[in-house]
Amino acid sequence: MNSSILHFISPPIPYFLDCGRATYGIGERHIKRKNIGVFDLIVVTKGALSIGENDKEWELQQGEALILRPDATHYGAAPCTQETEMIWIHFQTFGSWRECQDMKECLDNQTELIETHKQIAYLNHCDVCSIFIPKHIRVSQKEMEVLNNFTLLEQEPQTMRNWKRQAAFQLFIQHLDRDLASMSDATAFHLAEKIELFIRQNYTRNLSNAILQQELNYHPNYLAKCMLKIYGMTPIEYLTYFRIEQAKKLLIQTAWSVARIAEEVGFHHVSYFSSCFSKKEGISPSNFRMKFIGPR
């Protein structure tokens, strides 16, 4: 199923707000709304629903879902021709997101979106990642079971209901994110994740392309190709990026010297660390620290 992709940066993970069920008789249609301020996930569980967003329209069949944007006009594109039922879920995100035509566009703009996210979500020293959700979805049986839990949770006390709904919603979007990855270049996604995990677990070591080849059993050129496709940077570029992210945390959370922090995150020379840090952040490590905790 060809579909545009909603690209979210996390943390925070898109969060659940509200949900319900709706029924449409023959001749009825979805209400027209504009700029409702939340994402609206619609899942047709019976019949068919014609729905539009701005200048695009869909005919959702049983078992299909659509995510409507918070900043668009939604409307019933045509009256229902049969009894129709749906589940709706409203959710939102605090950080950056973008609708892209395909995965290539998502990955091409990933670095820019991450940098924007770090500023608007106040996560400029937090490790972030992408979540990719198809806009138009055919819901699997497993995903439908998760959605049906929302109705069952109506029987829970309010204090527990919202916790469990949030957990169920996160499980649902996790399924959608992983399903999209498996339908894309699965080998590249899985290998890039292995590289990323290996670097995270070993970033203080003196890593090189030769060591990555030995550990992962792939030629460095192929490792670089996979990382560039998924993360927008080579393994060595990601290593430097991750080291600097860890250094930013230490600059804020400890009183260690810049030289010690450089050594702790894997840089052998403080001057090279300062150069890499300044190039990426546009500010020296000392000034970065002063920005958050003031002069010492």
Side-chain angles (χ1 to χ4, degrees):
M1 180 182 293
N2 292 327
S3 169
S4 59
I5 298 169
L6 293 167
H7 182 182
F8 298 93
I9 305 299
S10 170
I13 296 170
Y15 51 88
F16 168 83
L17 291 172
D18 196 10
C19 67
R21 290 181 178 268
T23 301
Y24 298 91
I26 296 173
E28 295 182 325
R29 66 172 74 197
H30 190 277
I31 192 171
K32 183 176 181 180
R33 300 178 300 185
K34 182 178 181 181
N35 298 331
I36 64 173
V38 295
F39 291 93
D40 190 4
L41 168 64
I42 293 174
V43 185
V44 175
T45 57
K46 177 183 176 181
L49 184 68
S50 294
I51 193 154
E53 179 183 78
N54 293 343
D55 59 353
K56 189 168 183 181
E57 297 179 354
W58 296 263
E59 178 77 17
L60 301 181
Q61 302 298 320
Q62 181 175 335
E64 292 184 6
L66 182 70
I67 300 176
L68 300 171
R69 296 168 56 121
D71 57 354
T73 298
H74 315 145
Y75 55 93
C80 293
T81 58
Q82 54 186 304
E83 293 288 330
T84 299
E85 297 176 0
M86 75 172 196
I87 297 172
W88 58 267
I89 299 174
H90 289 168
F91 69 95
Q92 189 52 282
T93 182
F94 182 61
S96 292
W97 67 275
R98 176 179 293 172
E99 182 175 350
C100 300
Q101 291 306 304
D102 51 33
M103 185 60 77
K104 182 180 184 303
E105 184 181 343
C106 287
L107 298 175
D108 287 346
N109 292 284
Q110 182 169 227
T111 301
E112 176 191 347
L113 197 61
I114 285 174
E115 290 307 312
T116 302
H117 178 82
K118 288 185 174 183
Q119 297 304 314
I120 68 173
Y122 305 103
L123 295 170
N124 57 330
H125 52 85
C126 181
D127 192 22
V128 301
C129 65
S130 291
I131 296 173
F132 304 109
I133 308 295
K135 184 178 183 69
H136 185 200
I137 311 150
R138 183 172 296 283
V139 181
S140 70
Q141 182 60 40
K142 182 182 292 185
E143 291 157 358
M144 189 60 75
E145 289 173 4
V146 174
L147 286 176
N148 285 331
N149 282 337
F150 283 96
T151 301
L152 299 177
L153 290 174
E154 285 295 328
Q155 310 305 316
E156 293 278 353
Q158 185 182 39
T159 53
M160 292 300 298
R161 185 168 64 241
N162 288 337
W163 284 105
K164 292 185 177 182
R165 279 177 168 175
Q166 176 65 29
F169 173 70
Q170 289 186 190
L171 179 60
F172 177 72
I173 63 170
Q174 181 184 359
H175 280 303
L176 298 181
D177 178 55
R178 303 313 298 175
D179 285 350
L180 182 58
S182 67
M183 290 187 294
S184 304
D185 189 340
T187 301
F189 266 94
H190 294 156
L191 184 54
E193 287 184 338
K194 284 185 178 180
I195 299 166
E196 189 266 347
L197 182 60
F198 181 79
I199 289 173
R200 287 172 60 94
Q201 294 174 340
N202 297 277
Y203 70 95
T204 59
R205 292 172 52 189
N206 187 21
L207 297 182
S208 64
N209 283 322
I211 290 175
L212 291 173
Q213 180 179 14
Q214 180 181 348
E215 292 289 337
L216 299 166
N217 202 28
Y218 283 94
H219 192 278
N221 288 346
Y222 186 64
L223 296 177
K225 179 181 177 181
C226 292
M227 281 293 285
L228 279 167
K229 182 170 186 177
I230 308 306
Y231 288 95
M233 58 188 87
T234 67
I236 300 306
E237 288 171 341
Y238 184 83
L239 172 62
T240 300
Y241 161 82
F242 188 74
R243 283 172 170 169
I244 290 174
E245 292 302 303
Q246 302 314 299
K248 286 158 68 176
K249 295 178 183 179
L250 294 176
L251 284 164
I252 294 173
Q253 297 170 0
T254 75
W256 294 351
S257 68
V258 171
R260 179 179 176 182
I261 289 173
E263 183 178 358
E264 289 285 340
V265 300
F267 287 94
H268 297 299
H269 302 286
V270 65
S271 59
Y272 181 60
F273 164 65
S274 296
S275 174
C276 291
F277 192 101
S278 298
K279 183 177 180 181
K280 179 180 180 297
E281 299 298 323
I283 190 173
S284 70
S286 297
N287 286 336
F288 178 86
R289 168 179 272 167
M290 188 178 299
K291 178 181 175 182
F292 289 96
I293 66 177
R296 299 178 58 196

